[in-house]
Amino acid sequence: MPKTFFAMTVLVIASATVSGGQPDGRASFTVGTATASRGQLVRGVVKVPAGVDAGYDIPVAVVHGAKAGPVLAVVAGSHGTEYTSIIAVEQLIDAVNPATLSGTLILVPLVNTASYEQLVPHVNPVDGKSMNRFYPGNPNGTQTERASYALTKAVVEPCDHLIDLHGGDLDENLRPYSYWTVTGNQKQDEASRAMVLAFGLDHIIISADRPKDPAASRFLENTASTRGKPSITAEAGRSGPVDPAETAMLVRGVKNVMAHLKMTADAVTPVERPIWIERVVTIAAEQNGMFHAAVDRDARVTKGAKIGVVTDYLNKPLQQITANDEGIILFVRAVPTLKKGDTIANIGVVKR
Ligand SMILES: [Zn+2]
């Protein structure tokens, strides 16, 4: 019956099916200027329109799998000099095969291009704001707020899960760890806990104090979490150079989560006995000076242990820095430059 056969063929093409023969509601997937058909990798940008200051383009890659599945967003470079995490997402762009992928991967390797280009840590030099503190953003605000708004709309809202990658910035000698956010929604928290265990870093900070209001979510991951999307944050790399071993940790971590979400057929073994960190204690500088560290990242310290000394610019000691709690040095200042209010160290207090 050639006529019927012809009609069926037309129907199949018109509705575009995925495996199993159901109609595919996502024959293509668009983020910013990137529209990918099933089985395609497409590069583009999320446009941040000009406003009270200049606009700019945030690079994005969309890997739209040949088969249906979850949408995972992976973002790095909110702090544009945390290079290890940025390079990890760069590597992921060509490390995933769209022909065998189930679901969609949205990859945003470098949110804060001004920080990257001008070698300015911590903030967007255009407006002096951290690009991980102003979510869900504001279309009428300064560049950081408009970029946050654009990412909330283009990346957070269409995703099912989000992984935000960070690392030690230029001045942070940081050991790798991830964060598990407790929202209070048991089902969602179990899902994000399974993600963070699949990711595989063996030190996990429990974040129980994140804002619960989706309209005041502040952080990127929290913007996804407060919208009901199980999500995590991970950090690796430190103080400038790209560390290939730690880049690989982050790439592997994302691939592990993809396997856990059944986006790939890879096997994944969740970390079995992670060190859970229930509290992070910050030691901040009380004055300007030169910091001389006495501990390395990952050191175990007791309360009162020596962390370092602050001197003036003629080597005269100004202050001994000691641990204000017992725990693990999650990061310690990597450079002598120190001004009042800077973080000298973060100590992770281990959950017993
Ligand atoms: Zn960061």
Side-chain angles (χ1 to χ4, degrees), residues 77-80 82 85 122 130 132-133 164-169 172 233-235:
S78 297
H79 305 125
E82 294 174 355
S85 54
H122 304 297
S130 168
N132 195 28
R133 293 293 184 281
D164 190 19
L165 296 181
H166 289 258
D169 214 322
E172 295 168 345
T233 300
E235 307 212 30

Side-chain angles (χ1 to χ4, degrees), residues 7 10 31 44 59 65 80 87 99 125 151 156 199 250 267-268 291 312 314 327 343:
V10 169
V31 180
I87 297 302
L151 290 176
V156 177
F199 194 93
L250 296 179
V268 54
F291 176 64
D312 68 7
L314 291 168
T343 300

Side-chain angles (χ1 to χ4, degrees), residues 141 172 210 223:
E172 295 168 345
R210 293 280 158 116
T223 305

Side-chain angles (χ1 to χ4, degrees), residues 279-340:
R279 199 154 45 85
V280 177
V281 181
T282 296
I283 305 173
E286 291 172 7
Q287 58 206 318
N288 296 1
M290 282 192 184
F291 176 64
H292 310 264
V295 293
D296 199 356
R297 66 173 185 171
D298 205 33
R300 307 291 159 128
V301 294
T302 53
K303 195 170 180 173
K306 189 175 176 181
I307 302 293
V309 61
V310 179
T311 65
D312 68 7
Y313 297 163
L314 291 168
N315 205 36
K316 194 177 113 193
L318 297 174
Q319 193 191 352
Q320 299 294 325
I321 306 298
T322 55
N324 47 7
D325 217 320
E326 178 182 347
I328 299 166
I329 299 291
L330 296 177
F331 74 82
V332 60
R333 194 159 189 79
V335 294
T337 299
L338 191 71
K339 64 179 192 304
K340 187 178 177 185

